[in-house]
Amino acid sequence: MYAGGIAGWLSGGYARIARCENTGGIVSTNSQVGGIVGNAGEKLIALSGCVNKGVITGGTYVAGLFAYANGPLYRGINRCVNEGKVVATGTSAAGILAYAARGTVVIHSLNTGSVSSTSSTAATYVGGIIGSMNTSFTASSTEIQSVWAEDCLNAGQVTVGGAAGSAGAILPKYYEKDAGC
């Protein structure tokens, strides 16, 4: 189901993963595949000082560090590095975080690996740092409503299979108006 170099799925409350490294390749036909974490559900987590050097291959939501964050990452992803190649057959891929929920913060992180999706659908999003994100606003929510990528650098090649898809060095061009870059 989910796959990660350190954790496939995190359950429970707050989780902090610090100074971890994955050097092994991960190959899955499933979705939510990450070099460090596959899926964290709606849990508050923080990743800091983590490195992925392995090649990560999967379906949708494939990332060098963190595949799918359905809940807010207020403490975020900080000082993480992806050096591995990321290949998705589905609609979302990224060097650092494939899917970001509202309230997610990615700071001081670096991607040097190539990131690609072979999907040819129009709703395909590939980014060097963030692949896709939920930016819908909920008026009654007390959550931070934005997704932030700050002081991040992508040095890897970013490609999307279909001409209608969206790709970008930090995040897909489709999302640039919504992110706090």
Side-chain angles (χ1 to χ4, degrees):
M1 188 174 219
Y2 312 123
I6 302 300
W9 181 58
L10 294 173
S11 176
Y14 177 82
R16 179 174 180 258
I17 299 175
R19 296 177 301 281
C20 291
E21 182 174 307
N22 175 51
T23 58
I26 300 173
V27 178
S28 176
T29 57
N30 292 325
S31 295
Q32 302 178 23
V33 181
I36 303 297
V37 176
N39 180 303
E42 296 184 11
K43 308 307 172 208
L44 181 66
I45 73 159
L47 244 58
S48 63
C50 294
V51 177
N52 174 59
K53 296 180 180 180
V55 176
I56 310 301
T57 305
T60 296
Y61 306 118
V62 182
L65 272 289
F66 196 151
Y68 194 86
N70 196 32
L73 298 175
Y74 297 128
R75 298 191 186 264
I77 298 172
N78 184 16
R79 299 191 188 286
C80 290
V81 177
N82 176 55
E83 298 174 2
K85 180 178 181 179
V86 175
V87 180
T89 58
T91 59
S92 182
I96 302 296
L97 177 61
Y99 176 82
R102 293 181 312 272
T104 298
V105 178
V106 181
I107 56 175
H108 309 297
S109 293
L110 168 68
N111 175 58
T112 60
S114 64
V115 182
S116 65
S117 172
T118 58
S119 174
S120 60
T121 68
T124 299
Y125 306 106
V126 181
I129 302 299
I130 298 172
S132 60
M133 57 189 176
N134 178 357
T135 58
S136 63
F137 180 75
T138 306
S140 63
S141 176
T142 58
E143 294 178 6
I144 298 171
Q145 298 296 322
S146 298
V147 172
W148 292 93
E150 182 177 315
D151 294 329
C152 294
L153 175 66
N154 175 58
Q157 181 179 5
V158 178
T159 56
V160 64
S166 181
I170 301 298
L171 64 153
K173 301 285 185 206
Y174 175 85
Y175 289 111
E176 285 184 348
K177 66 188 179 313
D178 295 321
C181 293

